[in-house]
Amino acid sequence: MANSLAPSPSIGLRSVPLTIWRAIALPLLLLVAWQLWAMGLPADTRAPSPAKVLAGFVRLTLAGDLPLALIQSIGRVVAGFLIALVLGLSLGLAMGRIRWVRDGLEPIVESFRPIAPMAILPIAILFLGTGTPAALSIVAYAAFFPLLLNVMHGVSRVDPKLVLAARTMGVPPLRTFTHVILPAAMPSVLLGSRLAMGSAWTAIIAAELAVGAKAGGGTSGGIGQMMFVFYAYSIDLNGIVVCMIVVGVVALLIDRAFRGAERILVRGREAT
Amino acid sequence: MSAASAREATPKLRFTAVAKEFVAPRTGKRTLAVTDVGLSIEAGEFVCVVGPSGCGKSTIMNLVAGLDAPTSGTITMDGRPIAGPGADRGVMFQDYALYPWLTVSQNIGFGLENGTPGRGLSRAERDARVRHFVELVRLKGAEDKFPHQLSGGMCQRVALARLLANGPDVLLMDEPLGALDAQTRLILQVELLRIWGETAPRAERKTAIFITHDIEEAVFLADRVVVMGTGPGRIRAILPIDLPRPREEGTRADPRFAALTKQVWELIRDDAYQAIG
């Protein structure tokens, strides 16, 4: 009987909702097909397979190479993001509130914005060399624009009545800024931070790849350079795939962490 | 003349030949929002300003609040010209202007916490004041809710409590009931009068300027109704409302209520028709 109190024997597979089965069916099928295809190849093939990728992941993790590279890359992203946060927040607040600052800076911002972070790379390497400073500057550059633009728009779109209400309550200007304008713009600041962190992470991989390329393994380190080494020297496709997956998972985790922070910090407001 | 009678001779608020002209920032086009406004409001008086859209009702309020300065003429409070915004004139905005990231209590205490009204008060005194006004506007139990969790009527009470918690001399209300449904409006009109201090002696009441486009609301609430007209905004007439206080639901059935309402409507009608084209 369907509504019998006895424990159902079909717990397990059947308790997984149908939608989840639908969602994982195709990826699972592709993985299986990939594995089968790889198993049909000669034994000394360089072609990656799911089993080899998994083995590679375990090997790189245990050897400490992968965690070390990851820490290095994340460290650079955080540092670059913080630089961008300081600049983007202060300039965005100024541009969003003060007309002449905006009028004066907008042309410069708008002319640099379409220039992709990677296009800055040659200049960065020439001026800063192939080490951390070059990678950092690329990351900061990539993270700066989403932050600046979102902070600026968030601040300029603060409901003027909230500011007027504070004035009629005798709230001094600085306090109005910290207690009205800043919290009112908080959703945009957090959105900008999330997008900035996304571009920063994308940029660091590319920057490390490119900086690594120039230095021939050089001093850059990080997961991007690790990929470069697998590609240019050891030709380890399984290693490259491990890195790809790790990069993707980290991006996902960063995004989720920021969304979680948004939910907590923007409490009391409907999701926008 | 004794000091007391001298003070009585000075109205709470006095408008003398007030005009306000706005200049559009891009085109430089000038619009005369209000002109030739002369009005004296006594302490403890409840004055409603009615008129069709575009008659400069909100301009009047912004001028008293000090958020705008008149182009010509003067506005004085207790004989002194109004120089800018101040917590002695509390404003209640049409859409409440509550802070969405703060709870009901924090919104009510915002001025006490961050503005001039809280100066010299201890934390305990501030908290007690917030609790007092939470109870006065019947929001007990909702203190920790956020504005988006409240109904329109409850938001309106929060705004009213915030206004009162700052202890202003003059209450400026810009269509505070405008966004509410008709039934809630009727209930809150009575409640507003209770909170304003209708049953208290006149000396203990606040001076109130209440902007509305609802004629019945104006007649129901006011000691005097200021009827404004358009093109440019100006005062058409000032009607004393001699209905007895406290006013209750029954007041609306009073024949004098109907007569006053009709009188105000006749003053507004032509402008109102023009306003809708």
Side-chain angles (χ1 to χ4, degrees):
Chain A
M1 260 207 177
N3 51 2
S4 131
L5 286 175
S8 163
S10 62
I11 220 152
L13 289 185
R14 279 207 192 173
S15 59
V16 179
L18 197 60
T19 48
I20 292 186
W21 278 117
R22 284 192 193 130
I24 62 169
L26 190 59
L28 219 58
L29 207 69
L30 287 172
L31 270 179
V32 169
W34 178 18
Q35 182 64 35
L36 288 176
W37 168 77
M39 287 189 325
L41 295 172
D44 60 345
T45 181
R46 287 185 190 277
S49 76
K52 285 183 189 164
V53 166
L54 189 66
F57 173 76
V58 172
R59 180 172 44 82
L60 287 169
T61 307
L62 291 181
D65 293 347
L66 187 61
L68 202 70
L70 206 54
I71 286 167
Q72 233 172 350
S73 293
I74 289 175
R76 284 176 182 153
V77 163
V78 170
F81 173 81
L82 288 178
I83 295 170
L85 187 67
V86 170
L87 290 175
L89 205 57
S90 46
L91 276 177
L93 290 171
M95 285 174 76
R97 290 309 296 181
I98 309 166
R99 190 73 230 180
W100 63 265
V101 175
R102 183 170 185 161
D103 288 345
L105 288 179
E106 207 153 35
I108 299 179
V109 168
E110 286 306 313
S111 36
F112 271 93
R113 198 159 66 96
I115 303 174
M118 287 314 103
I120 302 290
L121 199 60
I123 301 258
I125 292 174
L126 281 174
F127 276 92
L128 302 166
T130 55
T132 297
L136 262 188
S137 66
I138 299 300
V139 170
Y141 178 87
F144 174 68
F145 289 101
L147 266 166
L148 176 77
L149 295 175
N150 279 288
V151 171
M152 185 173 83
H153 284 121
V155 164
S156 61
R157 273 196 308 248
V158 170
D159 182 357
K161 283 218 175 136
L162 297 182
V163 178
L164 291 182
R167 288 180 67 196
T168 64
M169 289 187 263
V171 180
L174 187 65
R175 194 126 181 127
T176 304
F177 192 77
T178 55
H179 283 69
V180 178
I181 293 166
L182 218 47
M186 194 48 95
S188 303
V189 174
L190 290 170
L191 174 67
S193 300
R194 176 156 58 85
L195 298 176
M197 203 65 187
S199 353
W201 184 245
T202 315
I204 192 65
I205 305 304
E208 286 169 349
L209 257 169
V211 173
K214 205 244 168 198
T219 56
S220 77
I223 200 155
Q225 195 229 17
M226 195 175 182
M227 284 174 92
F228 181 78
V229 171
F230 286 145
Y231 145 74
Y233 297 95
S234 56
I235 319 185
D236 180 354
L237 274 85
N238 293 300
I240 292 175
V241 175
V242 168
C243 292
M244 281 167 62
I245 292 171
V246 168
V247 165
V249 169
V250 169
L252 190 72
L253 289 178
I254 289 172
D255 189 75
R256 286 299 137 100
F258 271 83
R259 280 175 199 273
E262 278 172 54
R263 261 195 298 279
I264 294 163
L265 287 168
V266 189
R267 84 207 156 98
R269 271 182 276 195
E270 290 133 304
T272 42
Chain B
M1 210 200 268
S2 75
S5 65
R7 210 177 53 201
E8 233 161 78
T10 311
K12 192 78 202 170
L13 290 164
R14 175 179 275 161
F15 297 70
T16 315
V18 170
K20 176 67 189 177
E21 192 177 52
F22 290 105
V23 183
R26 268 169 226 271
T27 57
K29 193 174 163 251
R30 286 159 185 279
T31 316
L32 193 56
V34 291
T35 187
D36 201 26
V37 172
L39 174 68
S40 287
I41 297 173
E42 301 303 323
E45 203 179 4
F46 200 120
V47 171
C48 283
V49 181
V50 283
S53 34
C55 71
K57 298 185 295 265
S58 294
T59 304
I60 295 282
M61 200 200 72
N62 286 338
L63 291 175
V64 180
L67 296 172
D68 254 328
T71 311
S72 65
T74 53
I75 305 172
T76 59
M77 179 170 166
D78 298 319
R80 287 182 298 276
I82 286 169
D88 52 350
R89 286 147 288 138
V91 181
M92 188 164 161
F93 292 90
Q94 188 170 4
D95 44 11
Y96 318 130
L98 298 178
Y99 299 108
W101 58 91
L102 298 179
T103 63
V104 166
S105 283
Q106 288 168 333
N107 264 292
I108 294 172
F110 189 83
L112 295 173
E113 211 61 47
N114 301 296
T116 40
R119 277 197 197 145
L121 293 181
S122 71
R123 159 126 327 272
E125 285 167 323
R126 288 177 202 178
D127 290 347
R129 201 143 145 193
V130 168
R131 273 198 305 278
H132 169 73
F133 285 103
V134 163
E135 270 167 45
L136 186 73
V137 299
R138 300 186 175 135
L139 277 171
K140 199 136 181 54
E143 294 99 323
D144 296 326
K145 290 195 170 163
F146 289 96
H148 81 266
Q149 298 170 298
L150 306 177
S151 66
M154 284 167 95
C155 284
Q156 190 269 346
R157 286 154 199 243
V158 178
L160 185 60
R162 181 175 72 179
L163 173 70
L164 295 168
N166 294 326
D169 261 7
V170 175
L171 311 176
L172 303 169
M173 294 173 273
D174 188 6
E175 305 207 18
L177 309 180
L180 303 175
D181 62 86
Q183 292 93 314
T184 310
R185 266 182 106 128
L186 295 183
I187 294 164
L188 288 176
Q189 285 168 8
V190 177
E191 204 154 311
L192 182 66
L193 288 177
R194 170 182 73 83
I195 291 163
W196 165 64
E198 191 172 45
T199 51
R202 182 142 187 179
E204 285 168 30
R205 295 176 191 164
K206 303 270 186 195
T207 310
I209 300 182
F210 187 102
I211 313 268
T212 179
H213 58 257
D214 182 332
I215 295 167
E216 294 194 6
E217 180 169 273
V219 172
F220 183 78
L221 294 172
D223 292 318
R224 280 192 297 162
V225 171
V226 174
V227 181
M228 293 192 68
T230 52
R234 68 206 183 283
I235 294 178
R236 293 211 122 187
I238 301 174
L239 263 77
I241 307 295
D242 52 1
L243 297 167
R245 289 193 186 275
R247 295 186 188 157
E248 289 142 357
E249 286 310 311
T251 306
R252 295 178 215 275
D254 192 317
R256 279 177 297 171
F257 181 80
L260 285 162
T261 307
K262 184 162 172 279
Q263 205 180 339
V264 174
W265 171 236
E266 274 161 5
L267 284 162
I268 289 179
R269 188 167 50 201
D270 290 345
D271 281 330
Y273 274 113
Q274 258 175 22
I276 59 168

